[in-house]
Amino acid sequence: MEPYDHRAIEAKWQDYWEERETFATPTDRTRPKYYVLDMFPYPSGAGLHVGHPKGYVATDVVARARRMMGFNVLRVMGWDSFGLPAERQADKEGAHPRDITERNIKTFKLQLRRLGLSYDWKRELATSSPEYYKWTQWIFLELFKAGLAFQAEIPVNWCPALGTVLANEEVKDGRYVETGDLVEQRRMKQWMLKITAYAERLVDGLDSVDWPEGIKEMQRHWIGRSEGAVVRFAVADRADSFEIFTTRPDTLFGCTYCVLAPEHPLVGALTTPDQAEAVAAYRAEVGRRSDRDRMSQAVDAPKTGCFTGAYAINPVNGQRVPIWIADYVLASYGSGAVFACPAHDERDHAFARAFGLPIVRVVEGGPDVAEAAYTGDGPHVASAFLDGLDITGAKRAIITWLTDRGAGHGTIQYRLRDWLFSRQRYWGEPFPLVFRDDGTPVPVPVGDLPVALPEIAERKATEDGRPPLARAVAWMQATDPTTGLPAVRETNTMPQWAGSCWYYLRFISPDRSDVPWDREEERYWMPVDLYVGGAEHATLHLLYARFWHQVLYDLGHVSTPEPFQRLYNQGMIHATSYRDAAGRYWYPEEVEVRDGVTVSRATGVEVFPKMEKMSKSKYNVVNPDDMCERYGADAMRLYELFMGPLEDGALWETSGVAGTRRFLDRLWRLAHDEKVSASAVASRDLDRALHQAIRRVTDAVESLKFNTAISDMMVYVNEATKAAAVPAAHVDALVRIVAPFAPHLAEELWAASGHHESVTYAPWPEWDEAKLAVDLVTVAVQVSGKLRGQIDVAVDAAEADVLAAAKALPDVARWIEGKQLVREVYVPGRIVNLVVR
RNA sequence: GGGGGUGUGGCGGAAUCGGUAGACGCGCCGGACUCAAAAUCCGGUGGUUUCGCGACCUUGGGGGUUCGAGUCCCCCCGCCCCUACCA
């Protein structure tokens, strides 16, 4: 018998698949389809570590098994290749981001190829290619024409040192997280997408998809639908008024003051002269803190604020209440103003306590409202016509009252904000728009797309702070397609989220240059049946993509209301990192354990092991290429899924790969053993082990519980190894269920047993329910709930016989002797419990 | 503060309906092979106690329901992820 040489076998079959185009997407449309999709990666310079392929391996098993089950499978991979890191790397190396991106893609692709993933590489796409972003621009124009893209002057995070705008998540404590450069708020004209118009639909659509409840909940919270009322308060002694939003209009009679956001447009006008100085000082202080910093403060942070000197008239009772400004009221939510009812709102309560404002109870219940806000239900008091009603009744009554008098109305408010869609960077999609002299944006005709990214010498913002594309002076000069007059191009680019919003559609017909996707093919393949990726995309990518999809659906471009029918999040892989007291990280091979203490091998200084996310900077990454080299891609694939449930995080242990490798070695030996023959007859136990494994693996294709399915295959191989004879048909079925997990080895064994076609399209084995059945079962015998023995009985044995046999066991008789039997329980095939007193 | 998740041997994890807790793998221990080691193969492996048969304990902690609880109910504790004054 030849030894199992994983290097030769894996290289051989990877070449075979590539030459024969084994994984080309089938073209006949008579069979059922299965579209299984990985969240495509950003091709970073660091390459893959073993954490990345966990999801890819899982989807590969599903894809390969589904092919064998007779499905047409769409299994594809691409690159989310626009984005800032490539741009920064390019500046560092004096190269072009395109070249950096191409280089990184090449590395990623080689690493993925070594894992034997069954992608149809002819459908590969990259969001940064003009053939692709032509259609990203086209979708933007569809949004623009539908009135869902608009421009607004809004504050952005401007980093003067880098000459660029930064995303919110890149700024912390007023500094750029990577370099520590100061970031300031600057107002700039930005493109926005009206995602808020789809807020309701985005919430409702969640009910129709098969996603983890946690992710749905995160999206619901992000969208933040809340029902309430808008109420107009007049400013006393002035012609002005302002609107407030509240979810508790029933507590309006408990209003003792109002609060405007410091940025509220009315603040300047209504502040009285004697308060002007204090208000200006407070607003300046708040302005120094970014919105994000304000938000990141804990709820229990001390409340700050300032009285404006002005008063508002409470429309329900005509009372004059002071108007304050405070940063606990956010300008960007609702109308940027609230009425305060400190008796029944915790935030208002804290504020009232801090500034000595009155607290008036209007709902009965709870302890003294001078001590704490009461937010529970109860009969209303001191509320005129609301007295005696509960919250629901009072809300209904007050909204009717307000509506009748034109003082307010019921409404629904969303936390979701419109999507800031422009970036002042180079490496992104240019906007397909030109501006007339008067600033009117005009779409570039579809026939002229794509608007290609121009070449510029320096990819920095201009001296006067315009985006890098403003340096492409000639490129900027365009003509207005409607009038023929000169016009200038938009110099912002789209955010990285744009390309990933629709890539799953482009995979359907990536080669078509006349349409973004073929309509008939789209109807066949959509929706994505299984979408696997990290939970970190719960709110941004997955919400943006759903929004675009719903717009495309409304415009009649796609056939399904939701893009991703089933979503699954794979857990993150962690590894042990070692850090000394000074905070320096050490490589695992630099440390050792001496007398129970982990120390640096070289210096003897103590280091502290910790389980952390795999990261280059933490010196704890494990490279998949090393695993493929030492143990083989098949062993590595198995280990990735055997570690534990797919959705859980897990600690990487390279010794575990050695374990799955030993399993493959045993399988290899078994398949080559001469005890395997066409005439061999399997024992019932061996038969059952095989059919159990078939069943579990088949179920796992749906449930994604691969860890237990792999364990059942191990059980079979262990038993078959011990068996005297093994039928060839067993090995034949075994190889087929192993094939999705360890495809290279399976191909080799499949060929060795006389098959001339790839195992890829071999029929999936079926389990036989009869073979799973047992005729003799072991029944546990308990006395008063304690295990005292066990008996083997026929599955269909009569209860009386089983109980008699149980009582006859010496170890059981011992415990019931001299006692009174008060109850006898027999659960067929499982347990006997003899209760004594 | 809010939302979601989770807690089982030395470690990763099994346990379909409330029915023998610890499958499978890692690690460890013993044996075979070897001049020796590595690799490989075979066997053992929750804890305490016992020469042994066995007994007792054991699913984060405490209560409860039940003939029977890792699983159901109540209270408490720990850890992880997300979120952050959204009126």
Side-chain angles (χ1 to χ4, degrees):
Chain A
M1 178 179 58
E2 309 244 317
Y4 166 35
D5 177 356
H6 66 269
R7 288 186 199 89
I9 291 172
E10 290 177 1
K12 168 182 161 187
W13 289 101
Q14 282 162 14
D15 290 345
Y16 174 100
W17 295 329
E18 192 168 282
E19 280 159 26
R20 311 279 180 110
E21 295 181 8
T22 305
F23 309 121
T25 311
T27 49
D28 88 88
R29 291 294 170 257
T30 57
R31 290 206 267 178
K33 65 95 183 180
Y34 199 82
Y35 187 177
V36 51
L37 184 67
D38 298 303
M39 286 187 189
F40 68 164
Y42 174 80
S44 76
L48 292 175
H49 62 63
V50 294
H52 294 108
K54 192 177 170 191
Y56 306 157
V57 172
T59 48
D60 206 54
V61 170
V62 172
R64 286 176 177 273
R66 292 271 177 188
R67 285 192 191 102
M68 295 171 76
M69 291 171 181
F71 286 84
N72 279 340
V73 170
L74 183 55
R75 166 115 180 107
V76 281
M77 181 47 79
W79 317 102
D80 191 12
S81 49
F82 267 136
L84 195 59
E87 196 167 334
R88 224 180 281 130
Q89 188 61 30
D91 292 341
K92 221 179 278 175
E93 294 185 23
H96 195 285
R98 188 186 304 117
D99 299 328
I100 300 288
T101 303
E102 273 174 24
R103 188 179 72 196
N104 292 349
I105 288 175
K106 212 168 276 173
T107 309
F108 265 61
K109 200 172 165 180
L110 269 173
Q111 287 187 294
L112 292 180
R113 188 183 187 272
R114 274 197 96 169
L115 292 168
L117 299 164
S118 62
Y119 295 117
D120 177 0
W121 283 111
K122 288 179 92 177
R123 291 183 184 236
E124 175 183 3
L125 58 79
T127 55
S128 59
S129 74
E131 298 76 33
Y132 182 90
Y133 70 69
K134 165 182 177 176
W135 298 108
T136 310
Q137 292 174 339
W138 174 81
I139 296 174
F140 174 81
L141 289 180
E142 289 294 297
L143 287 154
F144 178 76
K145 290 171 190 165
L148 294 165
F150 64 98
Q151 284 178 289
E153 185 94 16
I154 62 148
V156 294
N157 300 305
W158 173 259
C159 179
L162 291 165
T164 181
V165 157
L166 296 169
N168 276 333
E169 53 271 25
E170 292 169 318
V171 183
K172 201 169 184 187
D173 299 326
R175 289 170 184 278
Y176 176 42
V177 287
E178 299 258 321
T179 60
D181 289 314
L182 277 169
V183 173
E184 59 190 44
Q185 300 285 300
R186 200 188 257 200
R187 290 188 83 82
M188 291 177 98
K189 201 170 200 181
Q190 300 288 308
W191 280 99
M192 308 283 291
L193 295 187
K194 216 168 168 43
I195 190 171
T196 51
Y198 277 72
E200 188 84 49
R201 289 265 301 278
L202 289 167
V203 174
D204 292 346
L206 291 173
D207 293 333
S208 69
V209 292
D210 179 15
W211 288 20
E213 207 40 54
I215 301 288
K216 287 191 188 185
E217 212 39 50
M218 274 191 229
Q219 290 216 348
R220 287 192 192 103
H221 176 253
W222 191 264
I223 296 163
R225 180 185 197 277
S226 58
E227 289 181 30
V230 164
V231 184
R232 182 162 288 278
F233 276 65
V235 179
D237 314 320
R238 291 182 57 97
D240 291 316
S241 67
F242 57 91
E243 280 189 341
I244 59 96
F245 172 73
T246 177
T247 55
R248 291 294 302 276
D250 59 298
T251 62
L252 270 166
F253 286 93
C255 168
T256 55
Y257 62 99
C258 284
V259 188
L260 305 185
E263 303 87 345
H264 195 285
L266 220 53
V267 174
L270 55 70
T271 300
T272 58
D274 54 313
Q275 285 299 103
E277 204 178 312
V279 166
Y282 183 71
R283 291 178 80 178
E285 186 199 320
V286 169
R288 276 195 293 275
R289 285 180 283 168
S290 71
D291 206 35
R292 190 178 169 80
D293 284 349
R294 268 166 65 181
M295 308 250 281
S296 68
Q297 284 172 12
V299 183
D300 42 40
K303 294 277 184 288
T304 63
C306 181
F307 179 43
T308 61
Y311 290 82
I313 305 296
N314 185 347
V316 300
N317 56 12
Q319 252 179 34
R320 280 169 66 97
V321 292
I323 302 173
W324 287 65
I325 59 170
D327 69 354
Y328 84 90
V329 174
L330 307 174
S332 47
Y333 182 73
S335 51
V338 301
F339 89 85
C341 176
H344 306 292
D345 181 281
E346 278 159 19
R347 295 150 302 184
D348 296 342
H349 194 272
F351 190 81
R353 289 277 290 255
F355 293 97
L357 293 158
I359 298 168
V360 176
R361 177 192 280 277
V362 289
V363 182
E364 291 202 314
D368 186 1
V369 292
E371 296 305 316
Y374 173 64
T375 54
D377 206 347
H380 283 57
V381 292
S383 296
F385 58 93
L386 301 181
D387 285 355
L389 297 173
D390 67 358
I391 292 179
T392 312
K395 275 186 187 170
R396 203 176 302 132
I398 189 75
I399 287 171
T400 308
W401 189 92
L402 289 165
T403 310
D404 290 348
R405 282 156 189 78
H409 55 88
T411 188
I412 293 164
Q413 189 65 234
Y414 296 94
R415 205 185 79 117
L416 183 69
R417 313 287 155 84
D418 278 328
W419 176 10
L420 169 55
F421 194 68
S422 38
R423 298 290 185 271
Q424 294 66 43
R425 292 179 187 149
Y426 174 75
W427 193 232
E429 298 87 348
F431 281 80
L433 293 164
V434 297
F435 293 99
R436 289 182 186 150
D437 274 354
D438 66 357
T440 312
V442 181
V444 170
V446 176
D448 292 348
L449 297 181
V451 173
L453 197 54
E455 297 303 322
I456 48 177
E458 218 185 349
R459 290 175 296 270
K460 279 207 292 215
T462 61
E463 312 310 322
D464 55 352
R466 285 179 301 143
L469 293 193
R471 292 178 180 270
V473 178
W475 173 85
M476 272 185 72
Q477 306 309 313
T479 33
D480 178 345
T482 56
T483 62
L485 293 169
V488 293
R489 292 194 190 280
E490 168 65 68
T491 54
N492 282 303
T493 49
M494 299 186 200
Q496 202 186 342
W497 305 110
S500 59
C501 267
W502 73 283
Y503 73 113
Y504 57 92
L505 288 167
R506 186 60 181 169
F507 278 132
I508 288 167
S509 21
D511 294 329
R512 291 284 289 269
S513 56
D514 55 333
V515 287
W517 52 86
D518 183 285
R519 281 309 310 276
E520 220 160 291
E521 288 286 279
E522 185 275 329
R523 267 194 293 275
Y524 178 73
W525 288 112
M526 285 299 285
V528 173
D529 295 281
L530 177 65
Y531 192 28
V532 176
E536 64 273 18
H537 295 111
T539 45
L540 298 175
H541 160 63
L542 286 169
L543 199 63
Y544 294 152
R546 291 182 60 221
F547 164 50
W548 278 34
H549 195 86
Q550 290 183 350
V551 174
L552 292 169
Y553 178 73
D554 286 352
L555 296 174
H557 295 305
V558 295
S559 60
T560 66
E562 288 284 339
F564 313 120
Q565 188 51 44
R566 183 174 179 202
L567 175 73
Y568 204 90
N569 300 119
Q570 92 272 12
M572 213 164 326
I573 288 183
H574 298 244
T576 310
S577 63
Y578 301 91
R579 197 158 30 163
D580 60 29
R584 202 199 125 180
Y585 279 103
W586 296 78
Y587 286 104
E589 50 277 12
E590 291 179 316
V591 305
E592 63 184 356
V593 177
R594 287 183 202 156
D595 308 322
V597 180
T598 313
V599 296
S600 156
R601 213 180 278 269
T603 68
V605 65
E606 184 170 8
V607 295
F608 304 93
K610 195 184 164 196
M611 188 169 130
E612 289 190 277
K613 254 187 242 185
M614 253 188 213
S615 159
K616 211 177 176 182
S617 62
K618 295 185 177 108
Y619 288 10
N620 66 346
V621 295
V622 178
N623 188 317
D625 297 338
D626 295 343
M627 295 297 113
C628 290
E629 184 60 27
R630 274 173 70 189
Y631 302 103
D634 286 338
M636 150 117 190
R637 288 169 59 111
L638 271 165
Y639 178 63
E640 293 260 356
L641 300 179
F642 184 61
M643 291 174 83
L646 188 57
E647 68 268 32
D648 291 355
L651 180 67
W652 183 269
E653 302 263 22
T654 297
S655 59
V657 187
T660 50
R661 166 60 196 237
R662 275 194 281 272
F663 161 66
L664 294 178
D665 279 323
R666 276 199 298 277
L667 171 60
W668 175 266
R669 278 196 303 274
L670 172 67
H672 289 89
D673 199 305
E674 30 192 65
K675 73 186 177 188
V676 177
S677 71
S679 57
V681 175
S683 69
R684 281 211 68 149
D685 283 346
L686 193 59
D687 247 355
R688 188 165 54 249
L690 177 71
H691 286 262
Q692 167 74 359
I694 296 172
R695 189 178 67 148
R696 285 293 272 273
V697 174
T698 307
D699 288 349
V701 172
E702 185 55 42
S703 69
L704 309 183
K705 289 182 176 147
F706 299 117
N707 52 331
T708 50
I710 292 167
S711 122
D712 281 320
M713 292 193 287
M714 288 174 168
V715 169
Y716 175 80
V717 171
N718 289 346
E719 290 199 18
T721 299
K722 288 178 204 153
V726 175
H730 269 207
V731 173
D732 207 67
L734 179 67
V735 166
R736 281 179 286 153
I737 59 170
V738 164
F741 299 88
H744 312 86
L745 175 64
E747 290 278 25
E748 189 70 19
L749 295 180
W750 190 247
S753 62
H755 298 90
H756 299 292
E757 298 292 321
S758 164
V759 74
T760 305
Y761 296 97
W764 189 251
E766 285 178 16
W767 76 87
D768 182 348
E769 212 52 62
K771 304 253 184 191
L772 285 173
V774 284
D775 35 31
L776 209 62
V777 286
T778 305
V779 171
V781 181
Q782 296 180 338
V783 177
S784 291
K786 283 205 187 296
L787 184 68
R788 297 302 179 194
Q790 50 190 33
I791 45 174
D792 289 334
V793 301
V795 264
D796 52 356
E799 178 166 345
D801 297 342
V802 176
L803 289 173
K807 289 175 204 164
L809 283 175
D811 280 340
V812 172
R814 201 146 67 79
W815 290 93
I816 56 180
E817 201 176 67
K819 303 258 175 65
Q820 187 194 353
L821 253 179
V822 293
R823 188 164 174 175
E824 297 172 31
V825 178
Y826 175 53
V827 179
R830 291 202 177 269
I831 205 160
V832 166
N833 193 4
L834 304 169
V835 187
V836 294
R837 193 159 49 204

